[in-house]
Amino acid sequence: MDLELKYLLGENSIVEPNVILSYKYLNSKKPTKIGEFSHIHSGTVIYQDTTIGSHFTAGHNVTIRANCQIGNRVVVLHGTTLEGNIKIGNGVKIMAHVYIPSQTEIGNMVFIGPGTNILNATLPMRKTGLNPVKIGNDVVIGGGVTILPGITIGNNAFIGAGSVVTKNIPDNTLAYGNPIQLKELPADFGEGNDPQQIFTGRDLWNNNEDDSWKNL
């Protein structure tokens, strides 16, 4: 059966012109599935065999390749690439021009700042195999951060802008600098990300007035 350009889209969703959903690739099997109340902006391409929850937002020129499992109320802003075989939880906000490679795992309620790059190959072109990154819940990653292969980032960690993450970050840790320095998270940084900012700040130009997140 030819599944090219066939997809499953939830009710009350918006797909702008010049979007490709269910992009067919070699050995693809299932159409793209996207939940209700989603908004896909122009220029975005989403491969087959990817499943996305409800209240999803994709900015302009986003690329989401195959076998991504993405939760509810996730935002992926313009120019970002998800290389496939990625797991993303609920309430994740990924800003513009972020690169996330295959086999990355991201928890719930995570913020990833613009221009962040995650790596998954320790010796690219010299040694086979991947060494993926795992990110816990309620993590904040500032803009322009680079995360090296094999890193695990604990829950409620906060990573300062421009940092190069060269070692694992425990729960409740402030991390910053190049190379990374670790300190106990100051009390005024809070205990987890603000759900109102995560769930309502979908898009500055097409913001979400829906308050159903309060019932979660």
Side-chain angles (χ1 to χ4, degrees), residues 7-11 13-15 21 32-36 38 40:
Y7 53 86
L8 302 174
L9 183 67
E11 295 181 355
S13 294
I14 299 170
V15 178
L21 299 181
T32 301
K33 183 178 180 180
I34 302 173
E36 61 183 357
S38 296
I40 316 299

Side-chain angles (χ1 to χ4, degrees), residues 4-210:
E4 189 169 13
L5 301 181
K6 296 180 181 179
Y7 53 86
L8 302 174
L9 183 67
E11 295 181 355
N12 301 300
S13 294
I14 299 170
V15 178
E16 295 185 357
N18 301 315
V19 167
I20 299 176
L21 299 181
S22 262
Y23 182 88
K24 190 175 182 180
Y25 66 99
L26 182 65
N27 298 323
S28 58
K29 297 177 181 178
K30 297 180 180 179
T32 301
K33 183 178 180 180
I34 302 173
E36 61 183 357
F37 295 101
S38 296
H39 190 160
I40 316 299
H41 289 76
S42 61
T44 286
V45 178
I46 303 178
Y47 281 47
Q48 290 189 356
D49 297 311
T50 280
T51 300
I52 300 171
S54 66
H55 298 83
F56 172 69
T57 296
H60 299 284
N61 302 313
V62 169
T63 300
I64 300 176
R65 302 186 76 180
N67 295 311
C68 287
Q69 302 296 317
I70 299 174
N72 299 318
R73 300 175 186 270
V74 171
V75 175
V76 182
L77 291 183
H78 52 275
T80 287
T81 297
L82 309 184
E83 281 289 9
N85 298 307
I86 293 169
K87 294 181 180 180
I88 297 176
N90 299 316
V92 174
K93 188 167 186 178
I94 301 171
M95 301 301 287
H97 305 295
V98 171
Y99 179 80
I100 301 179
S102 297
Q103 298 187 19
T104 302
E105 295 184 13
I106 300 172
N108 301 315
M109 301 290 289
V110 172
F111 174 86
I112 300 179
T116 289
N117 288 293
I118 298 174
L119 308 178
N120 67 355
T122 304
L123 294 173
M125 303 298 106
R126 301 300 176 90
K127 184 177 180 181
T128 58
L130 300 179
N131 197 7
V133 167
K134 295 183 178 181
I135 299 171
N137 303 319
D138 289 288
V139 172
V140 172
I141 300 172
V145 169
T146 298
I147 302 174
L148 297 190
I151 295 296
T152 296
I153 298 172
N155 298 327
N156 199 38
F158 194 108
I159 303 173
S163 298
V164 178
V165 182
T166 57
K167 56 187 175 183
N168 294 340
I169 300 176
D171 296 350
N172 304 306
T173 297
L174 172 63
Y176 58 91
N178 178 14
I180 202 76
Q181 301 180 55
L182 307 181
K183 290 189 176 182
E184 183 178 352
L185 190 71
D188 60 359
F189 277 53
E191 298 179 359
N193 291 329
D194 178 8
Q196 182 168 359
Q197 293 187 58
I198 288 283
F199 291 143
T200 61
R202 292 175 66 181
D203 183 342
L204 178 63
W205 309 110
N206 298 282
N207 207 7
N208 175 28
E209 301 298 333
D210 169 41

